[in-house]
Amino acid sequence: MALSLPAGKMPLIGYGCWKLDKDKAANLVEKVLSIGYRHIDSACDYGNEVEVGQGINNAIKNGICKREDIFVTSKLWNTYHAPEHVLQACQRTLSDLNLEYLDLYLIHFPISLKFVPFEKRYPPEWFHDPEAQDKKMEFASVPVADTWRAMESLVEKGLVKNIGVSNWNCQGLRDLMSYAKIKPSVLQVELHPYLQQNKLVQYAKSQGMVVTGFSPLGHGVSYWREDFSCLKEEPVIEVAKAKNVSPAQVLLRWGIQRGYSVIPKSVTESRVKENFDVFGFELNDEEMKKINSLERNLRFNDPGVFCPTVFNTEC
């Protein structure tokens, strides 16, 4: 099961590599590929692309899969939005992953930060100078149009097959569509029952984009919000019992039936297998409505919240 892109297809279920410990990443990525996953979601900012690449290449070397069978995503970090840095950033990711091309390269956030030289700190993260007494984010005035033209050049050079954006809204998409020669083919955003973003999802699809939902389990513990978890919501538990599946499987199936791909993450092998096993059942209209009722417009990954709180900078 996959969604068609201008170049290739994106499998509906992917494996997210955010917060994947370096010492576990290589083995876990190889394991998920052996289970059957063919969609790996990575990023410069995750700080583990070397190890993720080791897992991918070990799987290829051991005959688990071929490179052309795997859909690999990475993301351009905020400090590399200037056109002269986009190519360097992509090449560094390809070098770390030990791959010749990416299936998808996304602009990670619509936030441009001041450049940090690769040799000084990589990944550079959010603070411009983490050693400063009054450490803050430092913004850079880089128009998205300039960044996008450099992204398009990556496709022209054969380094990237598809390009897109992450954490974007409708207004940003409309602007981007107005000048893009190569249209963004994917929008990756936070999607779960607490944050369904129906209008954004519908608009992206109307523009021919494929949508990917991150944090599809709506598990707040990943964002230090232990008080919220879709996995513990009664409608989800009720549907899971009726279908004889887990709450996680219900949530992933709910996302897929809304017409987008999902990229859950787990480090527990049984759960990794469980998350991949969501094609043997369907949710009926009543069950979908039950889960839809959980909408709270609750965004976990919100720069407007975490930038001033964690990084001492309004954003």
Side-chain angles (χ1 to χ4, degrees):
M1 302 290 288
L3 298 169
S4 295
L5 294 172
K9 294 184 177 183
M10 174 190 287
L12 284 169
I13 293 282
Y15 185 74
C17 297
W18 182 50
K19 289 191 173 182
L20 195 59
D21 291 343
K22 287 185 178 184
D23 60 345
K24 298 178 181 178
N27 287 337
L28 274 168
V29 169
E30 183 177 2
K31 174 60 69 174
V32 302
L33 290 169
S34 73
I35 288 169
Y37 287 77
R38 292 296 181 266
H39 177 180
I40 302 296
D41 184 83
S42 184
C44 153
D45 188 55
Y46 300 167
N48 55 15
E49 288 199 312
V50 169
E51 293 76 16
V52 168
Q54 289 171 351
I56 292 172
N57 283 283
N58 287 344
I60 295 171
K61 179 181 178 181
N62 293 329
I64 293 170
C65 52
K66 297 178 181 179
R67 170 64 186 97
E68 57 266 30
D69 298 328
I70 312 170
F71 190 95
V72 181
T73 298
S74 188
K75 306 175 189 76
L76 177 77
W77 186 238
N78 304 343
T79 53
Y80 305 133
H81 282 199
E84 63 268 25
H85 300 140
V86 172
L87 176 59
Q88 291 177 273
C90 182
Q91 289 174 326
R92 174 61 185 263
T93 276
L94 287 171
S95 175
D96 284 353
L97 291 171
N98 193 21
L99 298 176
E100 293 183 356
Y101 66 89
L102 294 171
D103 297 276
L104 175 64
Y105 200 41
L106 304 172
I107 300 177
H108 204 150
F109 282 94
I111 301 172
S112 298
L113 297 179
K114 189 175 179 181
F115 177 63
V116 176
F118 292 86
E119 64 275 11
K120 182 175 181 180
R121 191 173 68 252
Y122 188 90
E125 301 182 319
W126 292 85
F127 286 126
H128 182 69
D129 182 2
E131 303 301 321
Q133 185 173 357
D134 184 25
K135 51 189 176 184
K136 292 184 177 182
M137 297 160 49
E138 293 190 20
F139 297 104
S141 298
V142 182
V144 175
D146 291 354
T147 306
W148 193 253
R149 291 188 187 99
M151 293 285 284
E152 291 173 329
S153 74
L154 300 178
V155 178
E156 294 162 357
K157 289 179 170 67
L159 299 176
V160 172
K161 290 192 173 185
N162 301 280
I163 48 178
V165 292
S166 180
N167 299 295
W168 236 253
N169 61 17
C170 288
Q171 182 180 3
L173 291 179
R174 283 194 295 272
D175 177 67
L176 180 52
M177 289 291 183
S178 72
Y179 51 74
K181 294 179 180 178
I182 299 177
K183 304 295 184 184
S185 56
V186 175
L187 170 68
Q188 184 180 123
V189 288
E190 180 181 344
L191 291 170
H192 46 72
Y194 292 151
L195 185 70
Q196 297 173 30
Q197 304 208 74
N198 292 316
K199 291 182 179 179
L200 175 59
V201 171
Q202 291 166 7
Y203 178 72
K205 288 182 179 180
S206 77
Q207 298 302 302
M209 300 180 73
V210 163
V211 177
T212 296
F214 68 77
S215 297
L217 303 181
H219 197 29
V221 70
S222 298
Y223 300 91
W224 306 281
R225 294 296 303 272
E226 293 86 353
D227 49 334
F228 290 102
S229 177
C230 291
L231 294 164
K232 298 178 182 178
E233 293 287 351
E234 192 59 34
V236 176
I237 294 171
E238 287 178 3
V239 173
K241 288 180 179 177
K243 297 294 184 184
N244 195 29
V245 296
S246 72
Q249 288 172 303
V250 169
L251 292 168
L252 296 174
R253 183 71 207 185
W254 173 83
I256 288 171
Q257 286 187 210
R258 294 182 73 216
Y260 53 78
S261 65
V262 291
I263 46 173
K265 187 212 85 173
S266 177
V267 297
T268 305
E269 184 174 344
S270 61
R271 290 177 182 169
V272 172
K273 290 180 178 179
E274 186 179 85
N275 290 346
F276 190 68
D277 185 18
V278 294
F279 299 105
F281 69 99
E282 290 186 4
L283 305 182
N284 60 38
D285 290 344
E286 182 180 348
E287 291 164 337
M288 290 291 288
K289 287 178 182 178
K290 281 184 178 180
I291 299 171
N292 291 347
S293 70
L294 296 173
E295 174 67 74
R296 298 186 183 184
N297 196 29
L298 175 60
R299 186 185 307 275
F300 294 124
N301 188 40
D302 187 349
V305 174
F306 69 73
C307 286
T309 302
V310 181
F311 300 112
N312 195 30
T313 310
E314 295 294 335
C315 186

